Amino acid sequence: LVSHIIAVRRLCWGSEDLYTNRERDFAYVLRQERRRYRRDRETEMIRFGVVNKYSSWRAERDSKQQDVRCFNIMKKRFVVASDDRLIPLNDIIKKSREFHTWETLHRLSALAPLMTQNGWQAAFFVQTLPSRFHSKTTVKNGDKKFLVPNKKWDGTMPDDAHAWANNKHQNLRATLSQLGYEEGIDFMAVRTVEPHKDGTPHYNYVVIGDINFLDEFNRILHDKFRWSDDADGNESGAHRRIKVTFAHGEEACRKIVSYAAKYALKTYLPEDMHKTKEHKESHSRCKAWRQTWGIRAFSFMGYAPVTLWRECRSSRHAGADLDIVRHAQDTNWVEFQNEFINIGKKNIKPIHEMRINRYGEDVKECVGHFMKETNTIIAQRI
């Protein structure tokens, strides 16, 4: 790998007319090659049939080595605080991961009370991908289950399987929008992406809305995922790929939210917060799986932008008297979400600025939000 990187570096530096500044950056090329190399090696492990718990021992080792490299780089770098203290970047990274976990948990916990306030119900959908995406299948022998090679597998890797399912997910959202359903007003939902034992992803949906919408969501989900145009519709057992459970009451909603987020949160919780050896191993394997294939855990539908939440929580001057800022600083996502809906999406506009990055490219960055009704700018920085 190192010799290959050196050759690429020489090629890039010697051909200024053929390569951009980004492609001539050795660190960038190294990251891309390392990412490609990890995926190629994990592809080999899946084809050899040795992935039995989310990811292989190779991917887990590579993930830990990446953490060590990051730690060694960041331990030499500091942030200067306003009182001239030097804060190690490693401490900031650790705290940021913890805050991200608590923030995600807080957003998820808002579903149950929002469901009650709107007089809605909740439904839990488990979407399993077709058999051709699975390198292994489960067989039962008495009370025990075993993973064995799947003869129907067509060689699809987890990232391509996720891309196929994510395209169906985007079609689902587009169909709901075309039918006049507005996210946040007519329904809210959370999608989590989790790995099977063989590394193939599957989707969990937690949806809240009135019973008519939940029935419509169920129909469209079956239409998009089961009877698709790529010869999956007649697959044996296709009717079992989507499982639906309806829940009544806040407690039932909390349970399905907790279940849907269980494996996804294993990735984000710091390792020292996992109590058992099994949980730590699951955390390590899930984290390696997401890093290797570049798969995000959560997708929120109908939620207020998390960037607006963070801007309101960090606001020191402008907009401090607004209810939406007060709810954010009180760490009350339920009222924050209600105020976001009351203000209206059309009355909250993101503020973008153009800047030039280190590679000389023009990029657009969101730096804040403008409240049309009050002519107030909410931003972490301007």
Side-chain angles (χ1 to χ4, degrees):
L1 176 62
V2 173
S3 61
H4 181 67
I5 293 297
I6 293 175
V8 172
R9 181 181 64 177
R10 290 173 178 171
L11 177 65
C12 293
W13 285 3
S15 308
E16 295 187 3
D17 296 335
L18 297 178
Y19 295 93
T20 64
N21 291 335
R22 182 185 294 272
E23 292 167 334
R24 287 197 295 270
D25 181 12
F26 175 64
Y28 172 79
V29 175
L30 180 62
R31 286 195 303 271
Q32 295 300 312
E33 284 298 307
R34 186 177 284 135
R35 185 177 294 114
R36 182 193 62 80
Y37 185 59
R38 287 180 61 178
R39 293 195 179 195
D40 289 347
R41 296 211 307 173
E42 189 67 358
T43 298
E44 289 180 354
M45 301 300 278
I46 292 176
R47 288 176 176 165
F48 284 144
V50 297
V51 175
N52 297 312
K53 191 170 184 180
Y54 315 138
S55 59
S56 68
W57 60 268
R58 267 184 171 181
E60 186 179 13
R61 183 187 64 185
D62 290 343
S63 175
K64 291 180 179 179
Q65 289 177 348
Q66 179 177 321
D67 289 342
V68 172
R69 283 195 299 270
C70 178
F71 178 83
N72 290 335
I73 292 173
M74 295 303 173
K75 73 179 181 181
K76 303 175 183 177
R77 302 182 181 184
F78 301 86
V79 171
V80 181
S82 56
D83 56 358
D84 295 332
R85 287 184 299 115
L86 294 181
I87 305 175
L89 274 180
N90 273 327
D91 293 347
I92 296 177
I93 291 173
K94 181 179 179 181
K95 284 296 181 184
S96 296
R97 288 174 177 170
E98 292 181 11
F99 291 156
H100 177 73
T101 302
W102 305 133
E103 181 183 70
T104 304
L105 282 169
H106 185 63
R107 297 172 75 194
L108 291 171
S109 67
L111 270 185
L114 286 170
M115 177 192 70
T116 301
Q117 285 184 9
N118 290 284
W120 291 342
Q121 294 185 22
F124 181 41
F125 300 86
V126 179
Q127 166 58 43
T128 304
L129 271 58
S131 179
R132 63 187 179 89
F133 291 117
H134 293 264
S135 61
K136 291 187 176 182
T137 187
T138 304
V139 297
K140 289 185 179 180
N141 186 2
D143 295 335
K144 296 183 179 180
K145 295 181 180 180
F146 301 92
L147 283 177
V148 298
N150 180 20
K151 295 180 180 180
K152 296 181 180 179
W153 181 48
D154 63 2
T156 304
M157 291 296 118
D159 54 344
D160 292 328
H162 172 60
W164 178 89
N166 192 57
N167 181 58
K168 305 290 184 184
H169 170 74
Q170 297 301 330
N171 290 339
L172 169 70
R173 298 182 71 173
T175 302
L176 291 172
S177 178
Q178 292 169 3
L179 292 175
Y181 292 108
E182 189 170 353
E183 296 180 1
I185 296 178
D186 298 310
F187 74 98
M188 293 178 65
V190 175
R191 182 202 67 175
T192 65
V193 184
E194 302 171 6
H196 283 284
K197 294 291 186 180
D198 64 347
T200 305
H202 70 278
Y203 288 4
N204 292 328
Y205 288 94
V206 182
V207 188
I208 59 174
D210 62 40
I211 189 61
N212 294 327
F213 171 79
L214 295 179
D215 290 338
E216 186 71 2
F217 187 94
N218 187 25
R219 182 190 66 79
I220 298 172
L221 185 69
H222 278 74
D223 180 63
K224 295 298 178 185
F225 280 93
R226 186 195 293 174
W227 310 115
S228 54
D229 56 1
D230 45 7
D232 295 329
N234 296 322
E235 176 197 2
S236 174
H239 63 283
R240 296 193 297 269
R241 292 215 316 265
I242 299 177
K243 297 181 179 179
V244 186
T245 304
F246 289 90
H248 303 279
E250 286 193 23
E251 186 61 29
C253 183
R254 288 192 183 96
K255 286 183 178 179
I256 63 174
V257 169
S258 176
Y259 180 83
K262 179 176 60 175
Y263 289 100
L265 286 173
K266 281 182 180 179
T267 307
Y268 297 125
L269 281 174
E271 188 170 356
D272 56 359
M273 297 184 68
H274 295 276
K275 302 301 182 183
T276 66
K277 182 179 180 182
E278 181 182 1
H279 286 174
K280 289 183 178 180
E281 182 182 0
S282 296
H283 158 78
S284 181
R285 290 292 180 96
C286 282
K287 181 179 177 181
W289 181 78
R290 296 193 191 282
Q291 287 180 345
T292 301
W293 302 112
I295 297 177
R296 294 179 60 184
F298 293 100
S299 174
F300 294 89
M301 292 179 276
Y303 275 72
V306 70
T307 52
L308 178 61
W309 165 263
R310 293 168 182 167
E311 287 161 7
C312 289
R313 285 180 61 78
S314 65
S315 175
R316 294 293 180 271
H317 305 289
D321 57 337
L322 296 179
D323 287 339
I324 194 169
V325 175
R326 180 169 53 81
H327 295 321
Q329 294 183 350
D330 290 343
T331 319
N332 189 339
W333 186 281
V334 175
E335 293 304 324
F336 175 83
Q337 175 74 21
N338 288 332
E339 185 64 20
F340 173 76
I341 297 299
N342 291 336
I343 294 174
K345 297 180 182 179
K346 296 181 180 179
N347 294 322
I348 302 177
K349 299 291 185 181
I351 302 172
H352 295 96
E353 70 173 12
M354 299 299 297
R355 63 180 181 86
I356 300 177
N357 64 11
R358 58 182 293 188
Y359 303 113
E361 302 167 339
D362 291 329
V363 295
K364 185 167 68 172
E365 182 181 8
C366 179
V367 296
H369 288 80
F370 173 67
M371 303 288 183
K372 185 177 179 181
E373 293 295 322
T374 59
N375 292 328
T376 304
I377 293 176
I378 306 296
Q380 293 186 38
R381 65 176 183 83
I382 293 292

